[in-house]
Amino acid sequence: MAARIAARENYGRRLPAVNGSYPVRPARRVRGAQTAGWLLSIYGALQLGNYFWLSEPWLAIGLMVAVILLVNGLPSLLVTVLHNGNLSTQP
């Protein structure tokens, strides 16, 4: 949700693919949504990892990292790629 709002706010400008600052500073609600998303995904990853921690600690660590990357990284990267791809097709 936060990535979509940030892309809308930066209409007509390229977004950083991996790291860097946005051309237009994100609104407070974007930062709040990003913070809430990160905190909830970390909580969910820890709960999932806790289930496997005693029997398979390496599996637990791998699952926690995968969940955080899939929940936080993939949607933001997808929105950024789609946003920047639309800019290259505009006249």
Side-chain angles (χ1 to χ4, degrees):
M1 179 177 102
R4 289 179 55 203
I5 296 170
R8 243 182 278 133
E9 289 177 349
N10 287 283
Y11 181 78
R13 298 175 184 91
R14 292 190 74 69
L15 297 177
V18 179
N19 61 0
S21 60
Y22 288 107
V24 174
R25 185 175 178 211
R28 183 177 293 171
R29 65 186 175 135
V30 173
R31 292 190 311 263
Q34 288 171 337
T35 302
W38 271 98
L39 291 175
L40 289 172
S41 67
I42 289 171
Y43 177 75
L46 288 173
Q47 292 299 317
L48 182 64
N50 187 37
Y51 183 75
F52 292 105
W53 185 255
L54 292 177
S55 59
E56 297 286 335
W58 289 108
L59 175 66
I61 292 170
L63 283 173
M64 288 187 288
V65 169
V67 165
I68 289 174
L69 286 176
L70 286 174
V71 170
N72 293 315
L74 187 63
S76 295
L77 184 62
L78 183 64
V79 167
T80 300
V81 167
L82 290 173
H83 175 82
N84 290 343
N86 288 339
L87 290 178
S88 63
T89 60
Q90 291 178 357

